[in-house]
Amino acid sequence: MGDRGFSETQYRRSQDPRGGEGRARRRPSLHQVGSEEPARARGGRAPPDPAPARSPTRQPVVSPRYEGAASGPGSQPRPRAGGTGKRCPDGAKTPTHRARDEEAAGASPRHGLSPEAPPRKAARVCRRWHEAASQPALWHTVTLSPPLAGRLAKSGAKAEKKLLASLEWLMPNRFSQLQRLTLIHWKSQVHPVLKLVSESCPRLTFLKLSDCHGVTPDTLVMLAKACPQLHSLDIQHSMVESTAVVSFLEEAGPRMCKLWLTYSSQTTAILGALLGGCCPQLRVLEVSTGINRNSTPLQLPVEALQKGCPQLQVLRLLNLMWLPKPSGRVVTPGPGFPSLEELCLAGSSCNFVSNEALGRLLHDSPNLRLLDLRGCARITPGGLHDLPCQDLEQLHLGLYGTSDRLTLAKEGSHLLTQKWCHALRELDLSGQGFSEKDLEQALAAFSVTPGASHPALCSLNLRGTRVTPSTVSSVISSCPGLLYLNLESCRCLPRGLKRAYRGQEEVQWCLEQLLTSPPSSS
């Protein structure tokens, strides 16, 4: 080590990330943040660090999409700092300085903000990147969750108060241009957080409350008045009083576009407000069951909903025991949903959706693109064939052990493919009771498409059907864009081929095996 000009001990000390004599450093106060050299403790030496020292050439992990963003539009991105424990010539910061900056910004990981957030990663690289990450324009989407969520109630409340203390600085200084906010597992401090949002986030457009408690009518009304651009509300799996939601819709209803609800005994009052026309511009409505399933059937007056929400584009009634309210002796067709593009009535148990109910919903929906009727065993191919939509792209009719095969239709599947084979991208017939010949006739429609173009089919689910090897070979050969094929539990196929195939290579391998394998009766 003589040629280096200093001893081996001095060389090891120079590589110590703590620098100098390796003394313990005192936690910087707020007035010390930004100083050039870290403050040293006045006491003795700190105990040895059990972790090995970083290599001088180790690079910090940075989100790729923020590389070079902090140097300005006309400059080159600065190289990253090493881990030597000293300030780098290019302005990069050591871990100690980065911790100071984060504490000054009120964004300490101890207070619940995710340390993996891309703007926070970028702020740790160097000064200029820290300045860029401090711009409110980067903080347009934020998710806040107390770090002790799911533990004891006292610990959770304490964690919420710590995070709230950080938000008192972050809201006006970082979140002034916030557009999308998600709160998860807040039990006691929802009102103070939303109050800060109403005071500092006038551009908020989307609010999601997941597993949150204590949301009062005054809180939501205050938010609706302070955020004139707020048009989307998701309160699924949260304990929110119906009066709070109704008051919010009465205030922000004319501009509301999207609404997500969890079905409960209080949902009737919220739906009553929608039926009254408080949200004429609503485009997305989703109602699903919570963890504790409600066995009370949901009676929905279809015609009243069509009048109250004429601009609806997406309607999802998921896992509900849903049935339309009887229309009376004189059947008067409603105005329909002329803009509807997606209808999901999927459920894991028996439901009461019939051809008549489906016709009342879709009798004036020519632009429908997605129809999800999984679990709806009462729907027949004839009822689907009478729908006015001509360019359906996704059709899901899968049955997953929810009905008796003896009552399922044995024929008519060709009515579906002959009508929509030119546009279908996803088709799910799993669990249906169509015969071998009927399925062969149905899937043969994809081999003859108008204009001699290849079919658009890329996903086909035939799980548990009576499809034959020749039918499967024909549909694979006719659909070169097929990327997903489910043949699980297909009794007419050879053993070893009854599985799901993902990707073009696996689908083509299945075709080769079907063409070369001998006929099998298993």
Side-chain angles (χ1 to χ4, degrees), residues 97-116:
H97 290 85
R98 291 197 295 266
R100 287 182 177 185
D101 294 338
E102 291 173 5
E103 184 177 0
S108 172
R110 301 187 303 272
H111 292 171
L113 288 178
S114 172
E116 300 302 325

Side-chain angles (χ1 to χ4, degrees), residues 6-338:
F6 47 85
S7 65
E8 182 177 359
T9 302
Q10 291 175 332
Y11 177 77
R12 286 199 303 266
R13 288 178 179 177
S14 67
Q15 301 302 314
D16 192 339
R18 294 172 294 178
E21 297 296 326
R23 299 173 182 173
R25 292 193 175 98
R26 179 178 54 194
R27 178 169 177 166
S29 59
L30 290 180
H31 71 275
Q32 293 174 318
V33 173
S35 61
E36 290 297 321
E37 293 297 333
R40 299 182 180 274
R42 298 181 179 179
R45 297 176 183 268
D49 190 355
R54 294 188 185 180
S55 172
T57 60
R58 183 173 179 180
Q59 300 286 347
V61 179
V62 183
S63 180
R65 49 180 160 174
Y66 290 94
E67 293 187 16
S71 300
S75 59
Q76 298 295 329
R78 295 182 177 271
R80 301 175 183 176
T84 60
K86 299 181 180 180
R87 183 174 299 279
C88 298
D90 62 352
K93 298 184 179 181
T94 64
T96 302
H97 290 85
R98 291 197 295 266
R100 287 182 177 185
D101 294 338
E102 291 173 5
E103 184 177 0
S108 172
R110 301 187 303 272
H111 292 171
L113 288 178
S114 172
E116 300 302 325
R120 295 193 61 211
K121 283 186 176 181
R124 299 176 180 180
V125 178
C126 64
R127 290 178 178 177
R128 292 194 178 184
W129 282 41
H130 173 72
E131 294 174 0
S134 301
Q135 299 299 322
L138 287 182
W139 300 88
H140 57 79
T141 302
V142 173
T143 297
L144 301 176
S145 175
L148 300 180
R151 298 188 182 181
L152 297 178
K154 293 183 179 180
S155 300
K158 186 177 180 181
E160 291 185 22
K161 291 182 180 179
K162 286 185 177 181
L163 182 53
L164 180 62
S166 297
L167 293 177
E168 292 177 355
W169 187 93
L170 284 171
M171 285 290 180
N173 293 277
R174 293 290 186 271
F175 298 167
S176 59
Q177 299 185 26
L178 183 65
Q179 299 178 15
R180 299 176 62 89
L181 175 63
T182 300
L183 302 181
I184 304 176
H185 304 309
W186 286 79
K187 307 298 183 182
S188 60
Q189 301 295 328
V190 176
H191 178 77
V193 172
L194 294 183
K195 183 178 179 181
L196 290 174
V197 172
S198 63
E199 295 173 353
S200 306
C201 307
R203 300 187 180 183
L204 189 70
T205 61
F206 171 86
L207 175 64
K208 179 177 180 179
L209 304 177
S210 179
D211 192 25
C212 295
H213 298 180
V215 183
T216 62
D218 296 338
T219 304
L220 289 182
V221 172
M222 171 186 62
L223 197 65
K225 293 181 179 179
C227 303
Q229 301 180 24
L230 182 59
H231 58 68
S232 301
L233 178 64
D234 186 348
I235 56 174
Q236 286 186 340
H237 313 297
S238 291
M239 296 181 63
V240 184
E241 299 178 1
S242 60
T243 54
V245 181
V246 172
S247 300
F248 174 83
L249 294 179
E250 291 176 352
E251 179 66 29
R255 64 174 184 267
M256 286 298 295
C257 296
K258 301 178 181 180
L259 182 61
W260 291 266
L261 304 171
T262 298
Y263 178 61
S264 65
S265 58
Q266 301 185 12
T267 309
T268 304
I270 303 175
L271 292 178
L274 297 178
L275 299 178
C278 68
C279 301
Q281 302 298 325
L282 194 67
R283 296 197 302 266
V284 177
L285 175 60
E286 178 177 322
V287 183
S288 63
T289 56
I291 298 177
N292 299 324
R293 180 161 183 163
N294 195 326
S295 59
T296 304
L298 171 64
Q299 284 196 351
L300 183 65
V302 175
E303 289 74 18
L305 183 62
Q306 292 172 345
K307 294 179 181 179
C309 304
Q311 303 298 326
L312 207 60
Q313 297 179 0
V314 177
L315 176 60
R316 304 189 187 107
L317 305 177
L318 305 177
N319 289 321
L320 297 178
M321 292 186 64
W322 173 82
L323 68 161
K325 192 173 183 178
S327 57
R329 296 182 179 179
V330 180
V331 179
T332 303
F337 294 115

